Amino acid sequence: MITRDSIETAYSFLHQKRNVYIHSLLDWQRDDIEYAIASYVDDMNQELYDTMSDGTADFLRDHKRFREDITLAVERLENML
């Protein structure tokens, strides 16, 4: 079951991290954000993750498409609010 609280928590965390990530010019900072997000989604509500990822394997865990994934995640969570 996906609760509104879990959506709001995920949205707040991912939105804040996305804003820092897209404006950062520091590779180490971007890497730290990718690691923090991957750790967060490992422990988040599985149903919410499945909905947010829309079945994409390694959503928010793939370095090559992280920027796209985090943008999609924030948009999808925003639409769920």
Side-chain angles (χ1 to χ4, degrees), residues 15-49:
H15 184 267
Q16 186 268 340
K17 295 297 184 195
R18 181 194 59 114
N19 286 345
V20 174
Y21 185 88
I22 63 175
H23 293 101
S24 178
L25 301 175
L26 305 170
D27 288 337
W28 65 264
Q29 186 176 41
R30 287 179 163 205
D31 289 342
D32 285 353
I33 291 170
E34 288 183 36
Y35 179 78
I37 297 295
S39 295
Y40 179 79
V41 299
D42 283 345
D43 294 329
M44 78 183 299
N45 176 304
Q46 188 62 46
E47 188 177 351
L48 178 57
Y49 177 78

mmCIF file of all heavy atoms in Angstrom, residues 15-49:
data_model
loop_
_atom_site.group_PDB
_atom_site.id
_atom_site.type_symbol
_atom_site.label_atom_id
_atom_site.label_comp_id
_atom_site.label_asym_id
_atom_site.label_seq_id
_atom_site.Cartn_x
_atom_site.Cartn_y
_atom_site.Cartn_z
ATOM 1 N N HIS A 15 13.311 15.559 -4.726
ATOM 2 C CA HIS A 15 13.251 16.913 -5.282
ATOM 3 C C HIS A 15 14.461 17.734 -4.828
ATOM 4 O O HIS A 15 15.116 18.405 -5.645
ATOM 5 C CB HIS A 15 11.944 17.588 -4.850
ATOM 6 C CG HIS A 15 11.741 18.936 -5.437
ATOM 7 N ND1 HIS A 15 12.132 20.085 -4.796
ATOM 8 C CD2 HIS A 15 11.186 19.323 -6.615
ATOM 9 C CE1 HIS A 15 11.825 21.131 -5.546
ATOM 10 N NE2 HIS A 15 11.259 20.694 -6.651
ATOM 11 N N GLN A 16 14.758 17.661 -3.539
ATOM 12 C CA GLN A 16 15.895 18.416 -3.010
ATOM 13 C C GLN A 16 17.202 17.930 -3.619
ATOM 14 O O GLN A 16 18.038 18.733 -4.045
ATOM 15 C CB GLN A 16 15.921 18.297 -1.486
ATOM 16 C CG GLN A 16 16.966 19.147 -0.810
ATOM 17 C CD GLN A 16 18.287 18.423 -0.584
ATOM 18 O OE1 GLN A 16 18.366 17.212 -0.580
ATOM 19 N NE2 GLN A 16 19.342 19.193 -0.410
ATOM 20 N N LYS A 17 17.381 16.621 -3.687
ATOM 21 C CA LYS A 17 18.619 16.058 -4.244
ATOM 22 C C LYS A 17 18.741 16.360 -5.740
ATOM 23 O O LYS A 17 19.829 16.635 -6.241
ATOM 24 C CB LYS A 17 18.690 14.549 -4.019
ATOM 25 C CG LYS A 17 18.781 14.150 -2.565
ATOM 26 C CD LYS A 17 20.039 14.657 -1.932
ATOM 27 C CE LYS A 17 20.167 14.176 -0.507
ATOM 28 N NZ LYS A 17 21.172 14.904 0.244
ATOM 29 N N ARG A 18 17.623 16.314 -6.470
ATOM 30 C CA ARG A 18 17.653 16.631 -7.898
ATOM 31 C C ARG A 18 18.098 18.063 -8.127
ATOM 32 O O ARG A 18 18.903 18.350 -9.024
ATOM 33 C CB ARG A 18 16.286 16.414 -8.542
ATOM 34 C CG ARG A 18 16.282 16.727 -10.050
ATOM 35 C CD ARG A 18 14.888 16.840 -10.583
ATOM 36 N NE ARG A 18 14.167 17.892 -9.882
ATOM 37 C CZ ARG A 18 13.749 19.013 -10.447
ATOM 38 N NH1 ARG A 18 13.955 19.234 -11.729
ATOM 39 N NH2 ARG A 18 13.087 19.900 -9.758
ATOM 40 N N ASN A 19 17.565 18.982 -7.334
ATOM 41 C CA ASN A 19 17.928 20.391 -7.507
ATOM 42 C C ASN A 19 19.416 20.626 -7.292
ATOM 43 O O ASN A 19 20.038 21.388 -8.034
ATOM 44 C CB ASN A 19 17.108 21.278 -6.577
ATOM 45 C CG ASN A 19 15.681 21.424 -7.049
ATOM 46 O OD1 ASN A 19 15.355 21.104 -8.198
ATOM 47 N ND2 ASN A 19 14.814 21.895 -6.175
ATOM 48 N N VAL A 20 19.990 19.979 -6.310
ATOM 49 C CA VAL A 20 21.433 20.107 -6.088
ATOM 50 C C VAL A 20 22.183 19.440 -7.233
ATOM 51 O O VAL A 20 23.131 20.008 -7.784
ATOM 52 C CB VAL A 20 21.843 19.496 -4.726
ATOM 53 C CG1 VAL A 20 23.358 19.493 -4.575
ATOM 54 C CG2 VAL A 20 21.182 20.240 -3.580
ATOM 55 N N TYR A 21 21.752 18.241 -7.624
ATOM 56 C CA TYR A 21 22.432 17.464 -8.664
ATOM 57 C C TYR A 21 22.508 18.224 -9.988
ATOM 58 O O TYR A 21 23.570 18.293 -10.600
ATOM 59 C CB TYR A 21 21.707 16.136 -8.857
ATOM 60 C CG TYR A 21 22.387 15.197 -9.815
ATOM 61 C CD1 TYR A 21 23.351 14.313 -9.362
ATOM 62 C CD2 TYR A 21 22.074 15.187 -11.166
ATOM 63 C CE1 TYR A 21 23.991 13.435 -10.231
ATOM 64 C CE2 TYR A 21 22.707 14.326 -12.039
ATOM 65 C CZ TYR A 21 23.658 13.453 -11.573
ATOM 66 O OH TYR A 21 24.296 12.589 -12.446
ATOM 67 N N ILE A 22 21.390 18.783 -10.428
ATOM 68 C CA ILE A 22 21.378 19.418 -11.752
ATOM 69 C C ILE A 22 22.175 20.723 -11.786
ATOM 70 O O ILE A 22 22.579 21.155 -12.860
ATOM 71 C CB ILE A 22 19.946 19.636 -12.300
ATOM 72 C CG1 ILE A 22 19.159 20.589 -11.428
ATOM 73 C CG2 ILE A 22 19.230 18.320 -12.470
ATOM 74 C CD1 ILE A 22 17.780 20.945 -11.992
ATOM 75 N N HIS A 23 22.417 21.321 -10.633
ATOM 76 C CA HIS A 23 23.181 22.568 -10.598
ATOM 77 C C HIS A 23 24.635 22.367 -10.172
ATOM 78 O O HIS A 23 25.420 23.312 -10.221
ATOM 79 C CB HIS A 23 22.498 23.579 -9.681
ATOM 80 C CG HIS A 23 21.188 24.043 -10.217
ATOM 81 N ND1 HIS A 23 19.991 23.553 -9.761
ATOM 82 C CD2 HIS A 23 20.879 24.905 -11.204
ATOM 83 C CE1 HIS A 23 19.001 24.104 -10.439
ATOM 84 N NE2 HIS A 23 19.509 24.935 -11.323
ATOM 85 N N SER A 24 24.970 21.176 -9.759
ATOM 86 C CA SER A 24 26.323 20.919 -9.275
ATOM 87 C C SER A 24 27.312 20.797 -10.432
ATOM 88 O O SER A 24 27.026 20.180 -11.459
ATOM 89 C CB SER A 24 26.351 19.632 -8.451
ATOM 90 O OG SER A 24 27.669 19.363 -8.037
ATOM 91 N N LEU A 25 28.482 21.350 -10.221
ATOM 92 C CA LEU A 25 29.574 21.221 -11.177
ATOM 93 C C LEU A 25 30.658 20.282 -10.640
ATOM 94 O O LEU A 25 31.686 20.089 -11.280
ATOM 95 C CB LEU A 25 30.179 22.598 -11.468
ATOM 96 C CG LEU A 25 29.214 23.648 -12.036
ATOM 97 C CD1 LEU A 25 29.911 24.994 -12.164
ATOM 98 C CD2 LEU A 25 28.647 23.204 -13.366
ATOM 99 N N LEU A 26 30.402 19.697 -9.473
ATOM 100 C CA LEU A 26 31.388 18.851 -8.807
ATOM 101 C C LEU A 26 31.046 17.382 -8.998
ATOM 102 O O LEU A 26 29.985 16.921 -8.559
ATOM 103 C CB LEU A 26 31.433 19.180 -7.317
ATOM 104 C CG LEU A 26 31.682 20.652 -6.961
ATOM 105 C CD1 LEU A 26 31.469 20.882 -5.474
ATOM 106 C CD2 LEU A 26 33.087 21.057 -7.386
ATOM 107 N N ASP A 27 31.942 16.651 -9.638
ATOM 108 C CA ASP A 27 31.700 15.223 -9.879
ATOM 109 C C ASP A 27 31.509 14.447 -8.589
ATOM 110 O O ASP A 27 30.636 13.591 -8.506
ATOM 111 C CB ASP A 27 32.851 14.604 -10.678
ATOM 112 C CG ASP A 27 32.870 15.055 -12.129
ATOM 113 O OD1 ASP A 27 31.814 15.475 -12.643
ATOM 114 O OD2 ASP A 27 33.953 14.983 -12.738
ATOM 115 N N TRP A 28 32.299 14.756 -7.560
ATOM 116 C CA TRP A 28 32.179 14.023 -6.303
ATOM 117 C C TRP A 28 30.819 14.266 -5.640
ATOM 118 O O TRP A 28 30.251 13.361 -5.032
ATOM 119 C CB TRP A 28 33.329 14.360 -5.341
ATOM 120 C CG TRP A 28 33.329 15.791 -4.863
ATOM 121 C CD1 TRP A 28 34.034 16.832 -5.382
ATOM 122 C CD2 TRP A 28 32.578 16.335 -3.767
ATOM 123 N NE1 TRP A 28 33.764 17.995 -4.697
ATOM 124 C CE2 TRP A 28 32.874 17.709 -3.687
ATOM 125 C CE3 TRP A 28 31.684 15.792 -2.849
ATOM 126 C CZ2 TRP A 28 32.320 18.550 -2.734
ATOM 127 C CZ3 TRP A 28 31.120 16.629 -1.887
ATOM 128 C CH2 TRP A 28 31.447 17.994 -1.839
ATOM 129 N N GLN A 29 30.303 15.472 -5.788
ATOM 130 C CA GLN A 29 29.004 15.786 -5.194
ATOM 131 C C GLN A 29 27.893 15.031 -5.926
ATOM 132 O O GLN A 29 26.998 14.483 -5.302
ATOM 133 C CB GLN A 29 28.752 17.292 -5.240
ATOM 134 C CG GLN A 29 27.488 17.706 -4.508
ATOM 135 C CD GLN A 29 27.318 19.215 -4.498
ATOM 136 O OE1 GLN A 29 27.573 19.878 -5.512
ATOM 137 N NE2 GLN A 29 26.891 19.757 -3.366
ATOM 138 N N ARG A 30 27.971 14.981 -7.236
ATOM 139 C CA ARG A 30 26.997 14.227 -8.020
ATOM 140 C C ARG A 30 27.069 12.745 -7.679
ATOM 141 O O ARG A 30 26.045 12.086 -7.550
ATOM 142 C CB ARG A 30 27.217 14.448 -9.504
ATOM 143 C CG ARG A 30 26.788 15.810 -9.963
ATOM 144 C CD ARG A 30 27.051 15.978 -11.434
ATOM 145 N NE ARG A 30 26.295 17.102 -11.926
ATOM 146 C CZ ARG A 30 25.924 17.258 -13.170
ATOM 147 N NH1 ARG A 30 26.243 16.356 -14.070
ATOM 148 N NH2 ARG A 30 25.237 18.305 -13.536
ATOM 149 N N ASP A 31 28.281 12.214 -7.534
ATOM 150 C CA ASP A 31 28.436 10.808 -7.157
ATOM 151 C C ASP A 31 27.836 10.537 -5.787
ATOM 152 O O ASP A 31 27.173 9.508 -5.581
ATOM 153 C CB ASP A 31 29.916 10.401 -7.162
ATOM 154 C CG ASP A 31 30.510 10.313 -8.557
ATOM 155 O OD1 ASP A 31 29.742 10.232 -9.551
ATOM 156 O OD2 ASP A 31 31.750 10.320 -8.657
ATOM 157 N N ASP A 32 28.052 11.453 -4.842
ATOM 158 C CA ASP A 32 27.473 11.295 -3.504
ATOM 159 C C ASP A 32 25.950 11.293 -3.552
ATOM 160 O O ASP A 32 25.296 10.525 -2.840
ATOM 161 C CB ASP A 32 27.946 12.409 -2.567
ATOM 162 C CG ASP A 32 29.385 12.240 -2.098
ATOM 163 O OD1 ASP A 32 29.994 11.176 -2.390
ATOM 164 O OD2 ASP A 32 29.896 13.163 -1.429
ATOM 165 N N ILE A 33 25.381 12.134 -4.389
ATOM 166 C CA ILE A 33 23.927 12.189 -4.523
ATOM 167 C C ILE A 33 23.408 10.906 -5.149
ATOM 168 O O ILE A 33 22.404 10.341 -4.688
ATOM 169 C CB ILE A 33 23.496 13.436 -5.325
ATOM 170 C CG1 ILE A 33 23.763 14.700 -4.501
ATOM 171 C CG2 ILE A 33 22.024 13.333 -5.751
ATOM 172 C CD1 ILE A 33 23.611 15.987 -5.254
ATOM 173 N N GLU A 34 24.072 10.408 -6.166
ATOM 174 C CA GLU A 34 23.659 9.146 -6.785
ATOM 175 C C GLU A 34 23.689 8.011 -5.769
ATOM 176 O O GLU A 34 22.774 7.192 -5.714
ATOM 177 C CB GLU A 34 24.554 8.813 -7.981
ATOM 178 C CG GLU A 34 24.297 9.708 -9.174
ATOM 179 C CD GLU A 34 25.137 9.326 -10.384
ATOM 180 O OE1 GLU A 34 25.381 8.116 -10.598
ATOM 181 O OE2 GLU A 34 25.540 10.246 -11.123
ATOM 182 N N TYR A 35 24.729 7.974 -4.948
ATOM 183 C CA TYR A 35 24.837 6.947 -3.923
ATOM 184 C C TYR A 35 23.715 7.090 -2.891
ATOM 185 O O TYR A 35 23.088 6.092 -2.500
ATOM 186 C CB TYR A 35 26.208 7.017 -3.236
ATOM 187 C CG TYR A 35 26.360 6.004 -2.146
ATOM 188 C CD1 TYR A 35 26.636 4.674 -2.450
ATOM 189 C CD2 TYR A 35 26.216 6.367 -0.811
ATOM 190 C CE1 TYR A 35 26.757 3.728 -1.445
ATOM 191 C CE2 TYR A 35 26.332 5.429 0.198
ATOM 192 C CZ TYR A 35 26.603 4.112 -0.123
ATOM 193 O OH TYR A 35 26.709 3.177 0.879
ATOM 194 N N ALA A 36 23.455 8.308 -2.450
ATOM 195 C CA ALA A 36 22.401 8.544 -1.452
ATOM 196 C C ALA A 36 21.029 8.139 -1.995
ATOM 197 O O ALA A 36 20.230 7.517 -1.279
ATOM 198 C CB ALA A 36 22.388 10.014 -1.038
ATOM 199 N N ILE A 37 20.756 8.453 -3.236
ATOM 200 C CA ILE A 37 19.478 8.098 -3.845
ATOM 201 C C ILE A 37 19.364 6.589 -3.993
ATOM 202 O O ILE A 37 18.319 5.999 -3.684
ATOM 203 C CB ILE A 37 19.298 8.790 -5.215
ATOM 204 C CG1 ILE A 37 19.273 10.308 -5.071
ATOM 205 C CG2 ILE A 37 18.054 8.275 -5.930
ATOM 206 C CD1 ILE A 37 18.111 10.870 -4.293
ATOM 207 N N ALA A 38 20.418 5.931 -4.448
ATOM 208 C CA ALA A 38 20.384 4.468 -4.589
ATOM 209 C C ALA A 38 20.137 3.806 -3.236
ATOM 210 O O ALA A 38 19.344 2.855 -3.137
ATOM 211 C CB ALA A 38 21.682 3.965 -5.206
ATOM 212 N N SER A 39 20.764 4.309 -2.189
ATOM 213 C CA SER A 39 20.540 3.770 -0.842
ATOM 214 C C SER A 39 19.108 4.011 -0.387
ATOM 215 O O SER A 39 18.483 3.140 0.218
ATOM 216 C CB SER A 39 21.506 4.412 0.154
ATOM 217 O OG SER A 39 22.829 4.065 -0.148
ATOM 218 N N TYR A 40 18.602 5.187 -0.685
ATOM 219 C CA TYR A 40 17.230 5.521 -0.301
ATOM 220 C C TYR A 40 16.225 4.598 -0.986
ATOM 221 O O TYR A 40 15.330 4.065 -0.343
ATOM 222 C CB TYR A 40 16.939 6.991 -0.642
ATOM 223 C CG TYR A 40 15.546 7.411 -0.293
ATOM 224 C CD1 TYR A 40 15.209 7.721 1.019
ATOM 225 C CD2 TYR A 40 14.544 7.495 -1.272
ATOM 226 C CE1 TYR A 40 13.915 8.098 1.350
ATOM 227 C CE2 TYR A 40 13.261 7.869 -0.940
ATOM 228 C CZ TYR A 40 12.950 8.175 0.365
ATOM 229 O OH TYR A 40 11.671 8.544 0.689
ATOM 230 N N VAL A 41 16.358 4.403 -2.288
ATOM 231 C CA VAL A 41 15.370 3.581 -2.998
ATOM 232 C C VAL A 41 15.483 2.109 -2.627
ATOM 233 O O VAL A 41 14.507 1.369 -2.759
ATOM 234 C CB VAL A 41 15.397 3.781 -4.536
ATOM 235 C CG1 VAL A 41 15.073 5.221 -4.893
ATOM 236 C CG2 VAL A 41 16.698 3.346 -5.161
ATOM 237 N N ASP A 42 16.653 1.682 -2.150
ATOM 238 C CA ASP A 42 16.787 0.304 -1.670
ATOM 239 C C ASP A 42 15.860 0.029 -0.493
ATOM 240 O O ASP A 42 15.410 -1.101 -0.308
ATOM 241 C CB ASP A 42 18.231 0.003 -1.254
ATOM 242 C CG ASP A 42 19.160 -0.227 -2.427
ATOM 243 O OD1 ASP A 42 18.661 -0.447 -3.560
ATOM 244 O OD2 ASP A 42 20.389 -0.172 -2.215
ATOM 245 N N ASP A 43 15.586 1.059 0.302
ATOM 246 C CA ASP A 43 14.785 0.900 1.514
ATOM 247 C C ASP A 43 13.383 1.489 1.425
ATOM 248 O O ASP A 43 12.633 1.423 2.394
ATOM 249 C CB ASP A 43 15.514 1.545 2.704
ATOM 250 C CG ASP A 43 16.805 0.831 3.043
ATOM 251 O OD1 ASP A 43 16.881 -0.394 2.831
ATOM 252 O OD2 ASP A 43 17.744 1.504 3.514
ATOM 253 N N MET A 44 13.025 2.060 0.297
ATOM 254 C CA MET A 44 11.720 2.709 0.206
ATOM 255 C C MET A 44 10.600 1.693 -0.036
ATOM 256 O O MET A 44 10.869 0.529 -0.353
ATOM 257 C CB MET A 44 11.709 3.800 -0.864
ATOM 258 C CG MET A 44 11.602 3.319 -2.298
ATOM 259 S SD MET A 44 11.678 4.655 -3.525
ATOM 260 C CE MET A 44 10.291 5.643 -3.112
ATOM 261 N N ASN A 45 9.388 2.119 0.109
ATOM 262 C CA ASN A 45 8.217 1.294 -0.153
ATOM 263 C C ASN A 45 8.330 0.695 -1.552
ATOM 264 O O ASN A 45 8.431 1.429 -2.542
ATOM 265 C CB ASN A 45 6.973 2.188 -0.017
ATOM 266 C CG ASN A 45 5.679 1.504 -0.342
ATOM 267 O OD1 ASN A 45 5.506 0.952 -1.427
ATOM 268 N ND2 ASN A 45 4.756 1.557 0.598
ATOM 269 N N GLN A 46 8.337 -0.638 -1.631
ATOM 270 C CA GLN A 46 8.560 -1.315 -2.913
ATOM 271 C C GLN A 46 7.460 -1.002 -3.923
ATOM 272 O O GLN A 46 7.724 -0.825 -5.108
ATOM 273 C CB GLN A 46 8.671 -2.823 -2.710
ATOM 274 C CG GLN A 46 9.085 -3.568 -3.966
ATOM 275 C CD GLN A 46 10.457 -3.168 -4.484
ATOM 276 O OE1 GLN A 46 11.407 -3.070 -3.720
ATOM 277 N NE2 GLN A 46 10.580 -2.932 -5.775
ATOM 278 N N GLU A 47 6.239 -0.905 -3.466
ATOM 279 C CA GLU A 47 5.129 -0.593 -4.376
ATOM 280 C C GLU A 47 5.283 0.810 -4.953
ATOM 281 O O GLU A 47 5.042 1.031 -6.144
ATOM 282 C CB GLU A 47 3.792 -0.733 -3.642
ATOM 283 C CG GLU A 47 2.586 -0.608 -4.533
ATOM 284 C CD GLU A 47 1.275 -0.814 -3.794
ATOM 285 O OE1 GLU A 47 1.274 -1.216 -2.618
ATOM 286 O OE2 GLU A 47 0.224 -0.546 -4.418
ATOM 287 N N LEU A 48 5.715 1.744 -4.124
ATOM 288 C CA LEU A 48 5.947 3.108 -4.597
ATOM 289 C C LEU A 48 7.099 3.125 -5.601
ATOM 290 O O LEU A 48 6.998 3.762 -6.652
ATOM 291 C CB LEU A 48 6.247 4.048 -3.427
ATOM 292 C CG LEU A 48 6.563 5.504 -3.785
ATOM 293 C CD1 LEU A 48 5.438 6.138 -4.587
ATOM 294 C CD2 LEU A 48 6.864 6.303 -2.525
ATOM 295 N N TYR A 49 8.167 2.399 -5.299
ATOM 296 C CA TYR A 49 9.300 2.333 -6.225
ATOM 297 C C TYR A 49 8.867 1.735 -7.564
ATOM 298 O O TYR A 49 9.223 2.252 -8.623
ATOM 299 C CB TYR A 49 10.459 1.525 -5.627
ATOM 300 C CG TYR A 49 11.610 1.371 -6.592
ATOM 301 C CD1 TYR A 49 12.499 2.426 -6.804
ATOM 302 C CD2 TYR A 49 11.789 0.204 -7.318
ATOM 303 C CE1 TYR A 49 13.547 2.307 -7.710
ATOM 304 C CE2 TYR A 49 12.834 0.076 -8.224
ATOM 305 C CZ TYR A 49 13.705 1.126 -8.414
ATOM 306 O OH TYR A 49 14.726 1.007 -9.321
#
